[in-house]
Amino acid sequence: MKPAHYVGGAFLAEEPGAETFALLDPCDGSERGRVPEAARETVDAAVRAARGALEGAWGATGDTGRAAALRRIADGVEARFEEFVDAETADTGKPRELAATVDVPRAAGNFRAYADLLYGRPERAYTTEIPGWSAGAGGRALNYTVRRPLGVVAVVSPWNLPLLLLTWKVAPALAAGNAVVAKPSEETPSTATLLASVIDEAGLPAGAFNLVHGHGAGAAGEFLTGHPGVDAIAFTGESATGAAIMRNAADHVTPVSFELGGKNPALVFADADLAGAVDGTARSSFTHSGQICLCTERVYVQRPVFEEFVAALGERARALAGYGPMISAEHRDKVLSYYRLAREEGAAVVAGGGAPRFGDARDGGFYVEPTVLTGLPETARTVREEIFGPVCHVAPFDTEEEAVRLANDSPYGLAATLWTTDLSRAHRVAPRVRTGIVWVNCWNLRDLRTPFGGVKASGIGREGGEYSLDFFSEPVNICVQI
Ligand code: NAD
């Protein structure tokens, strides 16, 4: 499907002379098509359409109706499963199997999960006797709390898991009764367009979901997140972009939910199942060529098993085949610049460290080698900055105390992974690691009801299950004197 804006329940026809930009195939660098760049007026129209939906049919749709709508969307995604897998694979270059087993099933799952969650949500009710510590006259009252949607919600999403992360926010936003204006990454507009088509077929009232394409800074993303008609912003992307959006949103005091960058540590203790730790770290560092916010880029290994671990991980990196490219030439160049910087900073390159040569069309694509580094000080930029490629730096540690300190010595705090067979150690260390998520002897094992998000520069707020519904709605207390 050709990328198009979807506003007020209809795909907008391409206006002659309207601005477009090229969509490139990351596997060979060729142009796959053109994407319309939303002008400010298009973003205005989308926000107006969303407001209209809230004041009209969508605003009048109750929990049951919204849950049914979400289930129809989930069914629609599944009915066009192959089309979604094709579009996701074409936009990102990721292995088809990844799209077919993670991205697309999770997209349908996101809609189903929030349809289920809409039922049986306990509301809070308080005592009818106002206790002595209350201010005012006291007496008897019934206080109860209802939840109200925030209104028009802007959803701005990145290119790495385009469909999964878009639906991760759109589903709870709609479930809670909001109207949505979404802007996917300019690199990956295709699955978002398909989703608009599925939502259209699912028969949601016009304006409940709107989609605009375009760039971020100085363009559609900025027009949307600074828009006075937007009541909340849910954003996933780089920390620096989050900061820019926050500045832009500050004028209207618009609430934000941010899922941002990371520099995720893995701690491998000498008592770990070493084969499991190597396997897990190969997955956590190299899945989707390292382009998942949860990927490990800093590995700390207890000294007795350090050499063995590094040798095994290096071997795994060299043996990787069938991995996908970086999303763009620009991102490939950024990752390669870190491979060069690592050498300048004094790293030993255990595996990779460059761009592969295939001798076929892929040489026009945006590939980099899976890379394992050692030997850098903790002050090195390679160890401190998010690279977002298939690369990790491995350093030794001696004590548990030191491991915790190293893990926490980062401006980021998204996810950490612990590898140990000592149960007490796992429970002792996990709460001390300053990240929003800690995995023990696993990685990216997700229950959609659990809180998801980061601390420090990795985000603001939590999404997932009830946490998302909490962000996308506001509690209103009603006090009835009785
Ligand atoms: P990005 O910040 O460059 O772009 C994300 C989105 O923001 C895009 O749609 C872009 O057009 C838009 N945008 C850019 N500048 C903007 C501005 N000034 N105003 C409004 N919108 C703007 O991120 P990316 O490169 O697409 O994605 C990779 C980043 O996302 C990495 O840092 C990664 O760690 C992070 N990420 C985090 C999570 C998480 O859950 N914490 C998940 C996935 C990715």
Side-chain angles (χ1 to χ4, degrees):
M1 233 186 127
K2 215 168 133 39
H5 309 306
Y6 179 74
V7 173
F11 282 102
L12 303 188
E14 214 172 285
E15 284 177 30
E19 203 185 325
T20 62
F21 58 93
L23 182 59
L24 299 184
D25 183 340
C27 292
D28 61 12
S30 64
E31 184 170 322
R32 294 173 43 227
R34 310 283 306 172
V35 186
E37 175 80 52
R40 195 184 281 277
E41 296 70 41
T42 309
V43 175
D44 284 347
V47 174
R48 257 198 322 276
R51 181 69 56 200
L54 288 171
E55 288 165 359
W58 183 239
T61 305
D63 286 5
T64 315
R66 295 201 306 279
L70 294 187
R71 288 188 211 289
R72 290 199 301 277
I73 298 172
D75 291 344
V77 171
E78 279 162 1
R80 295 170 73 174
F81 191 88
E82 289 303 321
E83 231 180 306
F84 272 101
V85 172
D86 287 347
E88 180 81 2
T89 310
D91 272 4
T92 60
K94 69 179 60 169
R96 202 184 154 75
E97 197 216 330
L98 199 59
T101 54
V102 178
D103 301 84
V104 181
R106 250 297 291 280
N110 283 340
F111 284 102
R112 255 189 243 298
Y114 285 101
D116 290 346
L117 267 170
L118 270 184
Y119 296 108
R121 250 205 122 203
E123 290 302 350
R124 276 153 254 189
Y126 296 103
T127 173
T128 55
E129 181 108 33
I130 297 181
W133 42 258
S134 73
R140 288 171 71 80
L142 170 63
N143 277 286
Y144 66 98
T145 306
V146 295
R147 288 212 157 252
R148 189 164 58 194
L150 297 172
V152 176
V153 172
V155 172
V156 179
S157 49
W159 49 258
N160 63 327
L161 305 166
L163 181 66
L164 190 161
L165 291 172
L166 179 70
T167 53
W168 177 239
K169 295 176 190 305
V170 169
L174 292 175
N178 302 282
V180 172
V181 181
K183 194 208 79 68
S185 167
E186 56 276 23
E187 315 275 8
T188 52
S190 303
T191 43
T193 309
L194 268 179
L195 181 69
S197 163
V198 162
I199 289 178
D200 191 70
E201 286 161 9
L204 265 72
F209 175 80
N210 307 272
L211 177 71
V212 293
H213 294 286
H215 287 77
E222 195 174 311
F223 304 153
L224 180 60
T225 51
H227 202 290
V230 163
D231 298 304
I233 300 166
F235 167 74
T236 301
E238 286 182 21
S239 300
T241 309
I245 289 178
M246 220 168 163
R247 279 192 289 273
N248 199 16
D251 281 346
H252 307 293
V253 203
T254 313
V256 298
S257 178
F258 280 174
E259 297 186 333
L260 307 177
K263 187 75 181 174
N264 306 308
L267 303 181
V268 181
F269 290 91
D271 61 39
D273 159 12
L274 206 64
V278 170
D279 194 54
T281 308
R283 280 200 316 116
S284 74
S285 291
F286 304 133
T287 300
H288 191 15
S289 298
Q291 300 172 110
I292 299 178
C293 55
L294 305 164
C295 278
T296 305
E297 291 194 3
R298 297 183 292 142
V299 187
Y300 300 102
V301 183
Q302 209 159 13
R303 208 172 296 272
V305 294
F306 178 75
E307 296 298 337
E308 191 183 345
F309 181 94
V310 168
L313 188 67
E315 210 169 292
R316 292 293 294 269
R318 280 187 294 273
L320 271 177
Y323 56 86
M326 301 292 95
I327 187 69
S328 61
E330 189 191 354
H331 190 50
R332 177 213 38 211
D333 293 347
K334 176 186 155 183
V335 174
L336 290 177
S337 80
Y338 275 100
Y339 288 4
R340 277 194 302 278
L341 176 68
R343 287 192 175 87
E344 285 159 25
E345 291 182 314
V349 180
V350 179
R357 297 293 299 168
F358 296 102
D360 56 34
R362 285 176 293 174
D363 289 339
F366 313 136
Y367 292 84
V368 301
E369 287 174 335
T371 294
V372 177
L373 307 166
T374 58
L376 288 173
E378 287 301 299
T379 49
R381 282 182 51 206
T382 311
V383 181
R384 300 202 68 77
E385 298 173 11
E386 181 184 50
I387 302 172
F388 217 54
V391 52
C392 61
H393 177 257
V394 194
F397 70 88
D398 291 300
T399 64
E400 192 176 295
E401 209 51 38
E402 189 189 359
V404 170
R405 187 180 54 72
L406 289 166
N408 290 343
D409 184 16
S410 168
Y412 293 104
L414 185 56
T417 309
L418 308 185
W419 300 95
T420 176
T421 50
D422 179 338
L423 196 61
S424 299
R425 189 200 297 280
H427 289 299
R428 203 164 49 230
V429 172
R432 295 184 63 202
V433 177
R434 288 202 60 211
T435 57
I437 303 151
V438 181
W439 277 295
V440 179
N441 296 328
C442 60
W443 174 75
N444 206 1
L445 189 58
R446 294 275 294 115
D447 179 330
L448 302 188
R449 295 166 297 185
T450 59
F452 182 93
V455 303
K456 300 192 267 183
S458 290
I460 297 179
R462 293 291 179 274
E463 295 184 12
E466 298 275 341
Y467 299 87
S468 293
L469 294 178
D470 279 349
F471 173 74
F472 287 114
S473 62
E474 52 198 349
V476 180
N477 189 68
I478 297 169
C479 175
V480 185
Q481 190 167 25
I482 55 176

